[in-house]
Amino acid sequence: MNRSFVTILVFTLALSSLSVLADPGRTHTVVAGETLFSIAQAELGSGARWNEIAVLNGLDAPHVIRIGMRLAIPTRISPSNAPPIVVSDTTIMNTDSSSSSQDETSYSVSPVALSLSAGEDSTPFRTLPPWSMGAVEVPAPKAALWIQSPEEAIVLARRENADLRALAAEIDKARAGRTTASLAGRFNPEVEGAFGRRIKPNETTMNTDRFNEWGVDIWQELEIAGQKTLRLSVADLEIEKTIAESERAERELLLEVREAYWEAASAVESLKLVAQEESAHIWMADAARFRFEAGDVAGIEVSLAEANAEEARSERIRAEQNLTDALARLTRAIGLPADSPAAPISSLPSPGPLVEDNLESLALRNRRDLRAEQINVRLENERSRLALATGAPNIRVGFGYEREEETTDVYVLKFGIPLPLTNLKRGEADVARTAARVSESRSDALRRRAVNETRAAVERLRSARRRYELVERGVVSRANDNLALAAQAYAEGKIGMTGFLVHFDQATTNRRLGIETKLDWQRAMIALERAVGTDLSQGTEGDKR
């Protein structure tokens, strides 16, 4: 469960001896964008009567209402005395849903509760209701799967991703080629037959004798230059190369799954912050209207507050679209159908320690593309040798049986040796030797590339970590402190609503910047793992929503 703490001044309105009567049969169903203040304004004619609705419906601070909630509407209020106004320091927790149920329909967003008061000499416009999230909720996708961690997403991808299954089929195909190479003989026996009729003059009888003669030969071509051994060697190297290439492709796919998971988690957290910002602007617009009715501000402040609320709503729509796109990418990377989307539960982890020793040598040992190219050098050399061996003449051995003049049986052992006037495989051998030299050059280039990519990825990771520390420990922390001071200054009448809202927007923007720096660090870590070719430290484990 993610608990991000933002300490702000919370101004709560304590209600004492408050009696509220309900109007029988009169209710209000909450819709998106409403707050208790706006409901009171619409149903009771005055937003200042929001607390009557809260008391009647048993809503305690921070007076959270949700879409679809049915609220009883009061008829009158009879305060026994004026409600005192108190000021307290409170720590607000951004409490996230920890359920991974498929029935979950929304990410809950705890409100940053604010009410505005200045003590004994407070003017009417400063006696404002505590702001709550009201009916502004962050809708979660109707996900078929809620995934606890990127590791769980990877396990799921191994089972569901069609591309990974295709890679396994390529390995099976290469192994089938070895089965062919391991056969005892490459050539099947040949059977030759002959039938004839001999006509022979008979000097004794002075007649012509006729005889039926026939014969059968069985031939077998034999390899004597070690071709079978070379074919088996080539088949084994093809299997090794296919496995290395499949591992490289599989690793790329799984890195894409992990990156898509963290991007989706980042989009969820960003949407929560945008929803909080939108809710603050909705409350500010309500407060501006309240102050305008009290004659404290001009209409331009109401107009500006409403414009800011609309802009915040637009930002939320954009954030929702970003989340939709991120979840679609995650679903696609895992290999799930589009109608069975996946959604993350973990939040972005903070950067953890990284051991930077021997990363370059680690890359030279573990890079699958480098390994595949090195295997290909050996493979092409073996193919060259096989081509030359295949061009060598093979002996043909045969055994024949002939029946002559219907009385004589003849058994014959035969053999044939082609004259090696031309090796028809020499050109194929030259091509294979050239391919081996090309692979050697590529292998050298890949070694240099692996070292350079590793160095660049390490620098990128260091930069991402420095930026995270600067933003999280400096910018975000200071912005939250400034927000708390701005809330106090606004309550004391030292700054106006516009000034307070500037600090609120800045704090929200900086918290979103903090999420971006975490995501940048994850991307940098994935880039380093891609360069090195193996898993590295992932830092602290992500919290669960």
Side-chain angles (χ1 to χ4, degrees), residues 191-211:
V191 178
E192 295 180 358
F195 177 82
R197 189 171 180 80
R198 182 189 290 251
I199 301 175
K200 179 180 179 182
N202 191 328
E203 297 179 354
T204 303
T205 61
M206 302 303 292
N207 292 325
T208 301
D209 294 334
R210 291 175 172 83
F211 303 97

Side-chain angles (χ1 to χ4, degrees), residues 441-457:
S441 299
R442 287 178 177 172
S443 181
D444 292 338
L446 277 175
R447 278 193 288 269
R448 291 192 295 270
R449 178 179 172 184
V451 171
N452 292 335
E453 287 182 351
T454 301
R455 291 174 180 174

Side-chain angles (χ1 to χ4, degrees), residues 131-171:
W131 171 72
S132 70
M133 282 295 297
V136 178
E137 292 184 295
V138 181
K142 295 181 179 179
L145 290 172
W146 291 85
I147 303 178
Q148 296 281 348
S149 66
E151 290 72 26
E152 183 178 316
I154 287 173
V155 171
L156 187 60
R158 291 184 188 277
R159 188 177 73 237
E160 300 292 338
N161 193 292
D163 292 331
L164 293 179
R165 292 197 297 271
L167 293 174
E170 287 293 331
I171 296 176

Side-chain angles (χ1 to χ4, degrees), residues 402-448:
E402 296 178 3
R403 179 77 170 176
E404 295 182 355
E405 298 184 1
E406 298 183 353
T407 59
T408 304
D409 295 328
V410 179
Y411 298 92
V412 182
L413 181 63
K414 303 179 179 181
F415 64 90
I417 301 177
L419 296 177
L421 300 179
T422 304
N423 188 345
L424 301 178
K425 296 289 186 176
R426 184 170 298 278
E428 185 176 330
D430 291 340
V431 170
R433 282 195 294 267
T434 302
R437 289 195 296 271
V438 171
S439 291
E440 288 177 353
S441 299
R442 287 178 177 172
S443 181
D444 292 338
L446 277 175
R447 278 193 288 269
R448 291 192 295 270

Side-chain angles (χ1 to χ4, degrees), residues 13-228:
L13 186 63
L15 299 180
S16 62
S17 304
L18 196 60
S19 174
V20 181
L21 299 180
D23 187 351
R26 188 179 177 194
T27 60
H28 178 91
T29 301
V30 181
V31 298
E34 289 187 324
T35 64
L36 290 177
F37 186 88
S38 64
I39 294 172
Q41 183 72 34
E43 296 287 351
L44 303 176
S46 173
R49 297 184 63 186
W50 66 272
N51 54 336
E52 301 178 42
I53 301 177
V55 171
L56 180 61
N57 291 275
L59 300 176
D60 297 326
H63 309 100
V64 177
I65 59 176
R66 303 192 180 281
I67 297 172
M69 181 184 291
R70 181 171 295 181
L71 300 175
I73 302 301
T75 56
R76 65 183 180 85
I77 180 171
S78 301
S80 59
N81 51 43
I85 297 173
V86 296
V87 179
S88 63
D89 290 335
T90 306
T91 298
I92 301 300
M93 294 185 298
N94 182 10
T95 305
D96 304 314
S97 173
S98 59
S99 173
S100 61
S101 170
Q102 296 182 7
D103 297 329
E104 187 172 354
T105 58
S106 66
Y107 294 110
S108 63
V109 180
S110 296
V112 181
L114 288 175
S115 66
L116 308 173
S117 176
E120 296 180 357
D121 60 346
S122 61
T123 54
F125 79 85
R126 292 190 180 280
T127 309
L128 298 180
W131 171 72
S132 70
M133 282 295 297
V136 178
E137 292 184 295
V138 181
K142 295 181 179 179
L145 290 172
W146 291 85
I147 303 178
Q148 296 281 348
S149 66
E151 290 72 26
E152 183 178 316
I154 287 173
V155 171
L156 187 60
R158 291 184 188 277
R159 188 177 73 237
E160 300 292 338
N161 193 292
D163 292 331
L164 293 179
R165 292 197 297 271
L167 293 174
E170 287 293 331
I171 296 176
D172 293 339
K173 178 181 176 182
R175 287 172 176 158
R178 193 188 190 283
T179 302
T180 302
S182 63
L183 295 176
R186 185 179 180 187
F187 307 102
N188 290 320
E190 296 181 16
V191 178
E192 295 180 358
F195 177 82
R197 189 171 180 80
R198 182 189 290 251
I199 301 175
K200 179 180 179 182
N202 191 328
E203 297 179 354
T204 303
T205 61
M206 302 303 292
N207 292 325
T208 301
D209 294 334
R210 291 175 172 83
F211 303 97
N212 293 327
E213 295 184 345
W214 54 276
V216 177
D217 295 336
I218 298 177
W219 291 91
Q220 177 65 57
E221 184 173 347
L222 302 177
E223 295 178 327
I224 60 174
Q227 293 95 325
K228 179 182 177 180

Side-chain angles (χ1 to χ4, degrees), residues 501-513:
L501 203 55
V502 167
H503 290 283
F504 183 88
D505 289 346
Q506 188 62 47
T508 303
T509 299
N510 288 335
R511 290 174 66 191
R512 291 170 65 184
L513 182 60

